[in-house]
């Protein structure tokens, strides 16, 4: 049998196994990180084939930041926060719309100041899932839209919240990040064994 032409997609097609009984832990962890894209010098990249198509959902390399720049964190309520992805656009140019809803319990001065910054800044967000995988929401190709809403609660039994809603177009669903996160509290190594 002859080899398929070089311009086919067969090299990208893969089987998708799942062992019954293997747990898939839902949700995201308590701390996310964010940074203005203007503070990033170089981005990690998706591996590609000769046609330019991504061959993996795992980014290669680490974010390189401007001097004295560190990722900022936001502590969130995992039970009220979520990361989703859905297809958008038309063939042959479909992309993924990655959506992050991150709920912070505070509404004080710091939360309000962060809200004003996030509302008006093209940012990227790093989110850790319950299996310890880091995912990226935002890329260097398209602008990230982030909006923030605050709720001061109602009555004696209500709850307060600052809700950050992020929409970011990418080529794959929230790519996996295995590089380094340089934070105010030290570096986080996201590589997996």
């Amino acid at each position: 049998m002859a080899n398929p032409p070089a311009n086919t997609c067969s090299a990208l097609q893969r089987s998708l196994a799942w062992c019954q009984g293997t747990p898939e832990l839902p949700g995201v962890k308590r701390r996310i990180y964010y940074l203005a894209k203007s503070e990033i010098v170089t981005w990690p990249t998706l591996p590609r084939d000769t046609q330019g198509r991504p061959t993996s959902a795992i980014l290669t390399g680490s974010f390189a930041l401007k001097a004295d720049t560190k990722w900022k964190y936001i502590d969130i309520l995992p039970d009220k926060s979520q990361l989703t992805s859905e297809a958008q656009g038309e063939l042959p140019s479909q992309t993924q719309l990655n959506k992050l809803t991150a709920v912070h319990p505070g509404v004080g001065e710091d939360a309000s100041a962060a809200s004003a910054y996030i509302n008006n800044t093209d940012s990227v967000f790093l989110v850790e899932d319950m299996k310890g995988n880091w995912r990226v929401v935002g890329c260097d190709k398209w602008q990230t839209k982030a909006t923030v809403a605050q709720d001061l609660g109602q009555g004696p039994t209500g709850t307060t919240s600052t809700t950050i809603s992020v929409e970011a177009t990418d080529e794959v669903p929230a790519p996996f990040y295995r590089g380094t996160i340089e934070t105010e509290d030290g570096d986080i190594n996201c590589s997996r064994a």
Side-chain angles (χ1 to χ4, degrees):
M1 179 177 231
N3 290 332
N7 63 353
T8 66
C9 295
S10 62
L12 300 177
Q13 296 175 357
R14 295 186 179 114
S15 296
L16 202 59
W18 178 69
C19 180
Q20 188 168 357
T22 303
E24 290 297 328
L25 305 174
V28 296
K29 291 193 178 174
R30 184 177 175 268
R31 179 168 283 183
I32 64 172
Y33 290 87
Y34 75 103
L35 187 66
K37 291 181 185 179
S38 60
E39 298 296 321
I40 300 170
V41 177
T42 56
W43 288 70
T45 58
L46 286 170
R48 298 181 182 281
D49 67 7
T50 56
Q51 271 79 37
R53 299 172 294 207
T55 58
S56 173
I58 302 170
L59 294 166
T60 302
S62 289
F63 288 96
L65 310 180
K66 289 183 178 178
D68 300 322
T69 300
K70 303 290 183 192
W71 289 89
K72 306 300 181 204
Y73 67 85
I74 302 170
D75 287 334
I76 62 172
L77 300 172
D79 292 346
K80 294 187 177 184
S81 301
Q82 184 177 24
L83 176 58
T84 63
S85 185
E86 61 190 43
Q88 66 178 359
E90 305 263 339
L91 285 172
S93 302
Q94 286 192 89
T95 55
Q96 291 296 130
L97 182 59
N98 298 315
K99 296 180 180 182
L100 171 65
T101 301
V103 180
H104 174 74
V107 292
E109 294 174 13
D110 289 345
S112 295
S115 299
Y117 181 82
I118 291 169
N119 272 335
N120 295 296
T121 305
D122 187 11
S123 298
V124 61
F125 296 79
L126 302 178
V127 181
E128 187 179 13
D129 69 22
M130 290 302 184
K131 284 188 158 186
N133 295 303
W134 286 91
R135 310 291 290 264
V136 178
V137 181
C139 73
D140 57 342
K141 291 181 177 61
W142 296 285
Q143 186 169 2
T144 301
K145 179 184 178 185
T147 56
V148 184
Q150 282 193 333
D151 184 349
L152 273 58
Q154 184 178 33
T157 59
T159 58
T160 62
S161 64
T162 297
T163 302
I164 303 159
S165 300
V166 181
E167 291 187 354
T169 296
D170 210 321
E171 293 179 80
V172 299
F176 291 80
Y177 180 60
R178 303 259 170 94
T180 301
I181 306 173
E182 298 177 34
T183 79
E184 301 163 327
D185 301 323
D187 292 353
I188 299 171
N189 183 350
C190 301
S191 64
R192 303 278 314 255

